[in-house]
Amino acid sequence: MSTYVVAQLSGDLRLAYRDATPSGAQRGIIVLIHGFPQTSYQYRHAIPLLVNKGYRCIAPDYRGAGDSSKPGSDFTKATMASDIHELLNYLNITEPVHLVGHDIGGMIAFAFANHYQDRLRSVCWGECPLPGTKTYYRDRTEHAVQQFHFIFHSVPDLPEALIKGNERIYVSHFFNKIAYNLAAFTEADIDYYTAAYSQPGAMRCGLGVYRAFEQDAHDNQALLETYGKINVPTMMLSGKRSRHKAEAEEMVLEVTEKKEVDIGVVKGAAHYLAEENPEGFVEVLLGFIQKHP
């Protein structure tokens, strides 16, 4: 069974989420967090494959995206991780889950692992330069052209004004720039994402996620200095054709105990793993998850 519904959480926050359950015995719960410029729709191909393997899948639209609320502020990844924690409580989920985060979702997944370790069996994240790491600061210099949007999105007001009315061009830019399997994105898919980010407040919120990066960097560094590296079974997941793959291991070892780390690579994909090669994404993900039942 699969549903797409909205949870009413605290402070008038509404989180839309996809919830798919297997017809037979359940082997565990996987929570999937999307990136930008995407929504939970990003996992449309992967969810049925995971459910067929016996896993319940929950994929929220994080705050500001999709059909979730469009708050005026507070897009730190610690706050966004708190939203996911509250959603699990809303769903009366008490057992530890497997958490998967891609791109911005990877930053949220890492924040969740930092704050709610006891709620996790494992965490899988990647395809993002984690704020506060050496990779993050290198990206702002050595890869400044490809990562131009990190700075552009942080400028107050101007991006909203320039993107308005050009949402389809802007959304398409990211897929055209860093996807390997472009055929994975149909015109209908681009229309879906364009409509999602053309909603009132949606692009403002999408940019707000980036405007919080410096606070995220401070938070991550402070937690690392105070509590040390995280001790949660972790897989750093990259696309074989992705630039991020080269830096993935160095980055995850900067913030995670080495004994907990697996490195995963999805063939036939660059940045958008679950869409470019959903079968490969699920194969690698389950190979890791099944080590931590």
Side-chain angles (χ1 to χ4, degrees), residues 30-252:
I30 302 175
V31 179
L32 302 142
I33 312 176
H34 64 88
F36 177 89
Q38 296 160 291
T39 69
S40 59
Y41 180 76
Q42 166 181 339
Y43 295 107
R44 64 197 176 280
H45 303 308
I47 287 174
L49 300 176
L50 292 167
V51 170
N52 286 342
K53 293 295 186 180
Y55 292 90
R56 179 183 178 184
C57 291
I58 299 166
D61 294 337
Y62 59 57
R63 64 164 52 204
D67 290 309
S68 293
S69 297
K70 310 294 186 289
S73 61
D74 200 354
F75 294 95
T76 65
K77 307 312 163 290
T79 293
M80 297 174 82
S82 175
D83 295 341
I84 306 303
H85 181 257
E86 188 174 356
L87 177 63
L88 294 179
N89 291 340
Y90 171 89
L91 294 171
N92 295 315
I93 293 172
T94 56
E95 68 176 274
V97 303
H98 301 284
L99 184 61
V100 180
H102 168 260
D103 187 78
I104 297 297
M107 300 176 187
I108 298 169
F110 177 78
F112 191 103
N114 249 323
H115 291 277
Y116 308 106
Q117 181 172 333
D118 62 324
R119 303 299 298 269
L120 293 176
R121 293 195 188 281
S122 70
V123 61
C124 169
W125 61 280
E127 286 297 317
C128 61
L130 184 71
T133 62
K134 295 173 184 176
T135 297
Y136 170 74
Y137 291 112
R138 274 203 306 269
D139 260 25
R140 295 165 71 92
T141 54
E142 295 177 18
H143 304 291
V145 173
Q146 187 182 50
Q147 300 293 87
F148 83 96
H149 58 290
F150 278 37
I151 301 299
F152 178 58
H153 289 183
S154 299
V155 177
D157 302 326
L158 180 64
E160 289 93 327
L162 295 178
I163 296 169
K164 186 176 181 180
N166 296 304
E167 287 87 356
R168 198 175 205 282
I169 294 172
Y170 199 63
V171 166
S172 298
H173 164 81
F174 291 98
F175 298 120
N176 292 334
K177 181 173 70 171
I178 52 178
Y180 169 68
N181 179 16
L182 285 172
F185 301 96
T186 67
E187 290 298 306
D189 295 334
I190 301 301
D191 288 344
Y192 187 97
Y193 289 130
T194 299
Y197 282 92
S198 297
Q199 297 178 75
M203 190 60 74
R204 170 185 55 77
C205 291
L207 303 175
V209 168
Y210 289 79
R211 289 168 180 159
F213 278 1
E214 288 307 298
Q215 183 61 51
D216 296 332
H218 172 80
D219 292 346
N220 288 337
Q221 290 170 338
L223 286 167
L224 184 62
E225 291 170 6
T226 303
Y227 300 107
K229 299 179 180 182
I230 65 169
N231 280 287
V232 177
T234 298
M235 181 165 70
M236 175 58 60
L237 190 59
S238 307
K240 184 173 179 61
R241 301 280 184 160
S242 173
R243 177 184 62 78
H244 291 293
K245 180 173 71 73
E247 301 170 324
E249 184 170 3
E250 175 193 349
M251 181 173 64
V252 71

